[in-house]
Amino acid sequence: MSDDMSDAAGKRVYEVDEVVLGWKPAESADAALEWVLQRIDRLAAPLTLLTVLDAKKSYDDETRAKIESDAAAVADGVRAKHPSITVSTRLVEGDPPQVLAGLTSPERLVVVGTDRRRGLSLRYAFSFGARLAARAKGPVALIPHGDSELGDGVVVGVDGTPASLAAARVAARIALARGGEELVVVHVWQEPTPWQDAYLPPDDGFLESLQKVHQDVLDESVAQFGDDWPELVITKKLVHGLAPWGLLDQAARGSLLVVGTRSSRGIQRFFLGSVSHTVVLNLEGPTIVVPQK
């Protein structure tokens, strides 16, 4: 299925002024570049291959020259395949997640490749992607490399918060841009811990009423953006379980997952919300993290 970000008439649906790809000679960066190249013509935005040399390491002149030469060769290859796209390279020094985060904005899409994790990674673990997304002021695409069968459908998680609605609007534009691909809007719910198992109220109707509350959250979330794109095919899914694992399960059946994260101040700006953090640490497919504006 087509995977661009414009409508059938070529109009840009998901507006970005620039795509910045975190580049280094690695399989993860190759996967991220391939993901970008499948979209770059319809994005109609300039592409920058940005190499960040870790300031904690030392690089001799020969190594730096080799890195610059490799990046230039990759850029030449992109120009040959996509002559209408402006491609440039940059080499800077610093802390890679911090440098990339400093370049994020609502009008700029930052893309990085990442290794596919094996085993569960929980709340207080960290990764390059988690550090970057937590500091970002615009959308960040995290592309894991490795064999993985992608399905169809753009999956987005909603919980009624402004952050999730911002993510839903981005996901809706992307779904439209991909030839009207299905948008799967997921709300994952779980009864409060004190009410689980032996603590459940004796009234058998309690869980049904609680489920209805969450169904209302899902319905109302879709109502806040769905009418803006009447041509969009939307599937609503109410899933019982833990939020991050419910989203990851649904994402495994789609081609892209979009999640929102709240804006934070002070020390909290270095951390994602618990759901988006766990999702980022356990990526199985392309994921875009959208910060609340």
Side-chain angles (χ1 to χ4, degrees), residues 157-240:
V158 297
D159 58 9
T161 62
S164 73
L165 292 174
R169 290 187 174 95
V170 169
R173 293 186 179 98
I174 293 173
L176 279 176
R178 294 162 70 157
E181 187 171 1
E182 176 187 24
L183 176 66
V184 182
V185 184
V186 181
H187 176 61
V188 186
W189 71 281
Q190 185 181 36
E191 61 274 12
T193 302
W195 293 341
Q196 294 176 17
D197 299 328
Y199 298 98
L200 282 173
D203 181 4
D204 292 338
F206 172 75
L207 284 182
E208 291 182 6
S209 63
L210 187 59
Q211 180 174 335
K212 184 181 184 305
V213 169
H214 287 281
Q215 182 66 54
D216 289 343
V217 171
L218 176 57
D219 292 342
E220 290 170 6
S221 294
V222 171
Q224 292 193 53
F225 70 88
D227 290 344
D228 294 337
W229 298 284
E231 69 275 35
L232 188 62
V233 177
I234 299 177
T235 297
K236 295 184 286 187
K237 289 195 176 183
L238 186 66
V239 178
H240 180 263

Side-chain angles (χ1 to χ4, degrees), residues 6 16 47 55 66 76 90 149 159 172 177 217 232 262 264 283:
S6 68
V16 292
L47 171 64
K66 179 65 166 57
D76 287 340
R90 286 180 59 194
E149 289 289 333
D159 58 9
V217 171
L232 188 62
R262 66 181 184 275
S264 299
L283 296 179

Side-chain angles (χ1 to χ4, degrees), residues 48 58 86 129 137 171 193 239 262 290:
T48 299
S58 59
T86 300
K137 296 180 180 178
T193 302
V239 178
R262 66 181 184 275
V290 181

Side-chain angles (χ1 to χ4, degrees), residues 43-146:
L43 277 171
L47 171 64
T48 299
L49 303 181
L50 177 68
T51 301
V52 184
L53 299 182
D54 194 333
K56 297 178 182 178
K57 301 178 181 179
S58 59
Y59 300 86
D60 57 33
D61 292 341
E62 183 178 352
T63 300
R64 293 173 67 97
K66 179 65 166 57
I67 293 173
E68 289 181 306
S69 175
D70 288 345
V74 171
D76 287 340
V78 174
R79 294 186 190 100
K81 293 182 179 179
H82 305 269
S84 64
I85 301 300
T86 300
V87 185
S88 60
T89 63
R90 286 180 59 194
L91 183 69
V92 298
E93 292 188 13
D95 176 58
Q98 185 172 350
V99 170
L100 284 164
L103 293 174
T104 58
S105 76
E107 293 77 30
R108 181 183 290 124
L109 177 64
V110 172
V111 184
V112 296
T114 181
D115 292 328
R116 193 180 303 279
R117 289 182 169 238
R118 300 301 179 193
L120 301 182
S121 298
L122 301 176
R123 173 72 175 114
Y124 295 106
F126 287 93
S127 70
F128 183 99
R131 291 181 60 200
L132 168 58
R135 294 167 168 82
K137 296 180 180 178
V140 173
L142 306 174
I143 314 301
H145 79 92

Side-chain angles (χ1 to χ4, degrees), residues 4-15 42-44 176-177:
D4 55 57
M5 292 187 183
S6 68
D7 62 17
K11 179 182 178 182
R12 290 167 64 192
V13 177
Y14 179 42
E15 296 284 350
R42 291 300 187 93
L43 277 171
L176 279 176

